[in-house]
Amino acid sequence: MKRHELIRHLEAHGCRLLREGGRHTVYFNPATNATSAVPGHTEIYEYLARKICRDLQVPPP
């Protein structure tokens, strides 16, 4: 899946950008106080996208 699609999905479920790193972007879910790193690649594997969603406690894309 494309990185921008995953980010759009996370933000639609209430996740916020916490900080930008060199190779990752860290997202934060204020409802659950969970964080997860989203890699800077343009293409993200499906299982990794599901893991990020599971870490942030949002439904999978």
Side-chain angles (χ1 to χ4, degrees), residues 24-42:
H24 290 82
T25 303
V26 179
Y27 272 84
F28 170 71
N29 187 348
T32 61
N33 288 330
T35 60
S36 186
V38 178
H41 303 289
T42 56

Side-chain angles (χ1 to χ4, degrees), residues 3-18 20 25-30 38 52-53 56 58-59:
R3 181 177 190 272
H4 68 272
E5 292 172 357
L6 176 61
I7 289 174
R8 191 176 307 134
H9 174 76
L10 295 176
E11 290 176 348
H13 286 89
C15 296
R16 305 277 180 228
L17 173 68
L18 186 62
E20 289 270 352
T25 303
V26 179
Y27 272 84
F28 170 71
N29 187 348
V38 178
I52 292 168
C53 291
L56 291 170
V58 297

Side-chain angles (χ1 to χ4, degrees), residues 1-3 6 38-39 41-46 48-49 52:
M1 105 179 302
K2 297 289 183 187
R3 181 177 190 272
L6 176 61
V38 178
H41 303 289
T42 56
E43 192 70 34
I44 297 175
Y45 294 116
E46 283 295 324
L48 181 57
I52 292 168

